[in-house]
Amino acid sequence: MDEYYAQIFHTIDVGLVMLDKDLRVQQWSRWMEQHSSIPFHKIIGRPLFDFFPELDHPRFLMNFKMVVKFGNSCFLSQKLNKYLFPFKPAGAFAGEFEYMQQSCAMFPLRDEKNALKYICISVNDVTETVACETRLVEMNVRDGLTGIYNRKFLEAKLTEELDRSKRYGRAFSVIMIDIDHFKKVNDSYGHSFGDTVLKSTASMLQSGLRTTDFLTRYGGEEFCCLLPETECSSAVIVAERMRANAEALALTHGGNPVNISISLGVAGATAADTPSALIVRADEALYTAKKSGRNKVVASQGRAA
Amino acid sequence: MTRKILLVDDSPVARKILRKCIPEDGCFEIFEASDGLDGLKKFEEINPDITFMDLTMPVMDGMEALGEIKKRNKDALVIIQTADTQIKSVFMAMELGAFMVLKKPISKDSIKAVLKEADGALQTER
Amino acid sequence: MSVFSMDIGTAQEVILTGEEIDIFQEVMNIAFGQASADLAEILDAFVVLNVPEVRMLDESALPDLIREGAGPGALSIIEQSYWGKLSGKTVLFFPASAREGLARLFGEFSREDALACAEKEIFLEAGNFIAGGCIARLANCLDDLVTYTAPRSAEILERNADKKTSPTLRRIAAVKIPFSIDKHGVSGLLILTASHESIPWLKTSLKRFMEQYG
C-alpha cells in the first residue's frame, strides 16, 4: 500500500510538506518542487527556514506549536494569511497577484504507537477562487456606471467608520455632493451626455481623495464621501477643492464647452450621531448650499465638535 | 504516629481518587472538605498535618483558602493540586506559602512521593 | 449506523449516571486545566477555562442551549465537529468586543485586513485553538485520539425561535465552559457536546479512568 500512498502524495494537486519537530523537511511533494523550484534532494533534511526565512514569524510558530503540543490540526486561511509559501502565481489570474493565494492546513502525523512523529502542511492554490470572489465582491459594492462604491456599501461602511471613530475618539466627517442643475444637463444634451457628466464628476472627486477615504454614489446625481480621521474644518477644505475642480472640469458636447458646478454639505461626526443623523446633517447643509445659490460648500452648524 | 490529612476539593471524585492514592497502612487519618470555606473551617477544627487543596472551587477558591490558612498558621503544610500549571498560578501559590504545587492527574506513585517529602519536612520542623 | 439509533428501547441505558457525571467533571477539570496551561504557553497569556456542570439532554434541546449561551448582543459563533471514539461538536461564542484582543493575540493585522471577512477569520482561528485545545486534552485524558473538521462560522440562530422540536430520544452530554484570556480582554463561552453514539464508550472510558486508582 505504501507505494500507492507515495504516488498519491506526489500526484495530488495539493502541495504537501512533512516536517519533523525541529522544523526540518522530511518530505517535499512534487507539487512543492514545481512551484518553489526547490528540488527534493536540495531541501530534504534541511531546516525549512533556511529556504523560507519569512515563515519564521510568530503566527507560523504559534500554529506549529499548537500542532506539536496538542496534536491538533490548524487551518491557515487565505483570508487571514494570503499565502504561506511565497510562490509565483500560475494560471489565468496570475497577473492580479504578486504571490499565489493559498489556503493551508497543518496537522500531526503519528507513528504506530500514536506518538506524534511528523507535522504535515498541505498547500492549496486558491488564487483563482480569490480572484473570482474579489470580482464578485467588487460587483456587489460598486456602482456600474461610475465604478465608485454604491449606496449599499456606503450604508455598511458608514456604520463601521462611525463606530470606529466613537470607539477611539477620532474625528470623522462626511461630505454630501450634488451636481447642480443636472436635470437640465440631461434634458439639453441627452442622457448619454448625462452619464458622461456623472463619470467625469466621479473620477474628478475620487482623484482628490486619500486611499482611506470612500467615495460613493448616493443616488442619481448625488454622491457621498466618507473621510475617516478628518475634522469637519479639514473636510470643508477638501470640499472646497472639489467644488473648484468641478468648476474647472473641461467638458465638451459636440465641440462646445459645457460648464457644470456642484454643491456640497459637510458634517463632522459627534458622539451623539447615529449613521442616519450624520447623513441628515450633511444633507441639510447641502440643501442650504443649494438654497443659497449653488456652487457652494456649507458645513453643518449642528452639534459638530 | 498517625498523620492527619485534610482533602479540600469540590469534586467528590477528586477526593475519592486522592483517598485511593493515600496508602492504607494506618499511618493516615483522612478528613474531607468540599470547598475553600469548608476547608478553612475543618482546618481550624482538626489542625491537620497535611492539607491537599484544589484551586478552582465555589464559595472560596483554593488560592484564597491557602492564604487564609497561612494567616492562621504560617507553618501549615498545604499542597496545591491543579491541572492548570500556568506559571502565574504556580508562582502565586508558592508566593502564598504552598509547600508544593502538585500536577493533576495524580497517581499512587506521585502521592507516595509527595507524602514522603511532606513527612521529611514535618520531621525537621519538630 | 449505530446500534443505539436503531433501538429506542435502549435509550435509557446510554445516560451517564450521577456518579459518571462526577467522574466526567473531574476528568474535564484535569483536561481543561492542562489545556489552559498549554494554551497559555502558546499564546503567551493567562488563560482561564472554567468547568461548569455536565448536563445530559435530548439532542433536540441543543439549539435551546446554544441560544441560551448566545445571550444578547452581537456574537461570533464558531462550530467544529470532532470524532474519535469520543465524538460530538463544539460551539464557541465570542462577543464582538473580543475582536481587538484576538487580533493582538494572533499577530498584527493592518486595518485593511481587519475588514469584515478577515475579522471572521480571526474568530475562526482563535476558535480552533481554544476548542481544539480543550478537545485534544479531554481525549488525551480518556486515552482517545480525535480529529476535527475545520472551524465554521455558524449561522446566528434566531434568538426567539419558538419552534418546538420533538424529542429525538437521543441523549447527549453537554457542558458549558466560560473562558477568558486576561491581558487581551478576551472572554467567551465554549459549549462542548458528546454525541449520543459516543456515550457508551464514554461510560466505559470513565470507568477505566477510575479503575486505574484501584
Side-chain angles (χ1 to χ4, degrees), chain A residues 59 62-63 65-66 69-70 72-75 77 79-80 82 110 114 157 160-161 164 167-168, chain C residues 38 41-42 99-100 105-106 109 111 115 117-118 121 125 128-129 132-133 136-137 145 148 150-151:
Chain A
R59 287 179 57 73
M62 209 189 246
N63 281 284
K65 273 196 227 167
M66 192 69 192
K69 222 173 170 72
F70 284 98
N72 263 13
S73 304
C74 286
F75 306 91
S77 71
K79 288 200 178 73
L80 217 49
K82 309 290 182 225
R110 299 171 188 280
N114 270 336
K157 204 72 204 165
E160 197 183 309
E161 287 298 333
R164 199 190 301 276
R167 199 158 54 212
Y168 299 110
Chain C
D38 290 343
E41 195 190 315
I42 291 175
R99 187 187 58 83
E100 305 273 335
L105 199 58
F106 284 82
F109 293 99
R111 226 187 88 176
L115 285 174
C117 72
E121 303 293 324
E125 194 168 316
N128 184 47
F129 270 50
R137 284 292 168 260
L145 270 179
Y148 318 78

Side-chain angles (χ1 to χ4, degrees), chain A:
Chain A
M1 197 63 202
D2 279 0
E3 65 201 277
Y4 298 117
Y5 285 146
Q7 287 177 45
I8 295 172
F9 187 88
H10 287 295
T11 315
I12 194 169
D13 189 22
V14 170
L16 292 167
V17 186
M18 273 161 64
L19 302 171
D20 62 20
K21 288 185 211 165
D22 300 320
L23 286 150
R24 283 174 190 277
V25 178
Q26 297 301 329
Q27 272 297 339
W28 189 249
S29 74
R30 208 141 297 150
W31 192 97
M32 293 301 286
E33 275 190 318
Q34 272 166 21
H35 290 281
S36 66
S37 307
I38 301 169
F40 181 86
H41 69 270
K42 279 222 169 107
I43 200 166
I44 287 301
R46 301 279 309 278
L48 182 67
F49 293 168
D50 281 5
F51 293 83
F52 300 98
E54 55 276 86
L55 289 181
D56 188 4
H57 64 72
R59 287 179 57 73
F60 180 86
L61 290 169
M62 209 189 246
N63 281 284
F64 187 80
K65 273 196 227 167
M66 192 69 192
V67 176
V68 173
K69 222 173 170 72
F70 284 98
N72 263 13
S73 304
C74 286
F75 306 91
L76 294 129
S77 71
Q78 179 276 332
K79 288 200 178 73
L80 217 49
N81 302 278
K82 309 290 182 225
Y83 56 88
L84 201 55
F85 293 93
F87 294 159
K88 286 250 167 323
F93 299 92
E96 297 174 30
F97 298 92
E98 196 182 348
Y99 294 107
M100 174 202 287
Q101 302 293 297
Q102 298 161 355
S103 167
C104 300
M106 219 188 267
F107 50 93
L109 299 176
R110 299 171 188 280
D111 62 16
E112 60 282 354
K113 286 177 190 134
N114 270 336
L116 192 144
K117 183 87 177 174
Y118 299 115
I119 294 88
C120 186
I121 302 176
S122 66
V123 185
N124 257 300
D125 178 0
V126 293
T127 311
E128 197 174 325
T129 317
V130 174
C132 293
E133 214 175 80
T134 312
R135 276 177 207 183
L136 215 63
V137 170
E138 287 283 299
M139 269 162 63
N140 204 24
V141 298
R142 296 277 179 185
D143 170 50
L145 178 66
T146 60
I148 62 173
Y149 291 114
N150 61 19
R151 174 129 181 200
K152 185 175 147 196
F153 175 86
L154 169 78
E155 279 161 11
K157 204 72 204 165
L158 176 65
T159 310
E160 197 183 309
E161 287 298 333
L162 186 61
D163 279 352
R164 199 190 301 276
S165 84
K166 285 182 188 171
R167 199 158 54 212
Y168 299 110
R170 308 304 293 249
F172 174 52
S173 299
V174 303
I175 308 176
M176 290 293 282
I177 305 145
D178 191 84
I179 303 173
D180 297 331
H181 300 301
F182 184 73
K183 197 173 168 339
K184 221 183 270 174
V185 173
N186 252 340
D187 291 348
S188 325
Y189 304 103
H191 287 284
S192 145
F193 184 71
D195 287 351
T196 306
V197 172
L198 287 169
K199 281 195 261 187
S200 308
T201 307
S203 75
M204 175 277 290
L205 292 170
Q206 184 72 63
S207 67
L209 295 172
R210 303 167 298 181
T211 51
T212 48
D213 300 331
F214 298 99
L215 179 67
T216 65
R217 186 167 174 202
Y218 193 71
E221 69 274 24
E222 214 174 339
F223 300 90
C224 178
C225 183
L226 308 181
L227 304 167
E229 312 276 328
T230 307
E231 299 287 349
C232 186
S233 55
S234 309
V236 169
I237 297 169
V238 174
E240 183 51 44
R241 202 167 53 219
M242 287 172 165
R243 191 203 57 77
N245 286 343
E247 229 173 7
L249 266 186
L251 296 168
T252 56
H253 182 263
N256 303 314
V258 179
N259 293 319
I260 62 150
S261 67
I262 55 176
S263 297
L264 307 95
V266 183
T270 69
D273 272 324
T274 59
S276 58
L278 182 61
I279 291 292
V280 165
R281 288 200 295 115
D283 219 15
E284 281 167 0
L286 172 62
Y287 183 73
T288 313
K290 289 265 179 200
K291 276 285 200 192
S292 56
R294 299 189 172 84
N295 195 14
K296 274 187 182 153
V297 174
V298 172
S300 165
Q301 295 304 308
R303 299 136 291 170

Side-chain angles (χ1 to χ4, degrees), chain C:
Chain C
M1 191 199 281
S2 148
V3 177
F4 294 93
S5 61
M6 290 168 65
D7 188 358
I8 289 169
T10 57
Q12 290 298 321
E13 292 161 29
V14 292
I15 296 175
L16 292 184
T17 63
E19 197 196 342
E20 283 163 344
I21 284 178
D22 282 347
I23 302 170
F24 194 31
Q25 187 111 12
E26 179 57 14
V27 168
M28 282 192 292
N29 190 13
I30 294 169
F32 299 155
Q34 291 171 342
S36 43
D38 290 343
L39 282 170
E41 195 190 315
I42 291 175
L43 304 175
D44 190 25
F46 189 64
V47 180
V48 179
L49 297 164
N50 299 301
V51 187
E53 283 176 22
V54 184
R55 280 199 237 169
M56 287 302 300
L57 45 92
D58 192 272
E59 201 169 61
S60 62
L62 187 59
D64 279 334
L65 187 77
I66 292 172
R67 225 172 275 129
E68 193 185 303
L75 282 164
S76 278
I77 303 181
I78 297 119
E79 269 187 12
Q80 262 176 297
S81 297
Y82 67 92
W83 66 92
K85 292 185 199 96
L86 186 68
S87 65
K89 68 180 188 180
T90 60
V91 187
L92 203 138
F93 304 85
F94 283 117
S97 62
R99 187 187 58 83
E100 305 273 335
L102 288 175
R104 276 199 303 278
L105 199 58
F106 284 82
E108 293 297 314
F109 293 99
S110 66
R111 226 187 88 176
E112 194 190 316
D113 284 340
L115 285 174
C117 72
E119 279 182 24
K120 204 171 82 183
E121 303 293 324
I122 295 174
F123 285 122
L124 287 179
E125 194 168 316
N128 184 47
F129 270 50
I130 294 166
C134 286
I135 289 293
R137 284 292 168 260
L138 181 60
N140 201 232
C141 277
L142 295 170
D143 271 330
D144 189 17
L145 270 179
V146 292
T147 44
Y148 318 78
T149 56
R152 268 183 329 136
S153 213
E155 295 287 316
I156 303 285
L157 296 148
E158 276 184 57
R159 295 267 157 79
N160 302 315
D162 51 4
K163 264 183 277 171
K164 284 273 175 279
T165 36
S166 49
T168 58
L169 295 178
R170 290 167 52 78
R171 308 287 287 178
I172 58 170
V175 53
K176 281 186 183 182
I177 307 137
F179 62 87
S180 63
I181 305 171
D182 78 336
K183 77 179 167 198
H184 300 281
V186 174
S187 61
L189 176 71
L190 172 66
I191 292 179
L192 191 155
T193 66
S195 70
H196 176 74
E197 282 76 15
S198 63
I199 302 289
W201 178 83
L202 185 58
K203 286 168 85 84
T204 328
S205 169
L206 292 170
K207 196 173 153 211
R208 203 174 50 229
F209 177 82
M210 280 313 275
E211 276 166 2
Q212 64 178 312
Y213 298 103

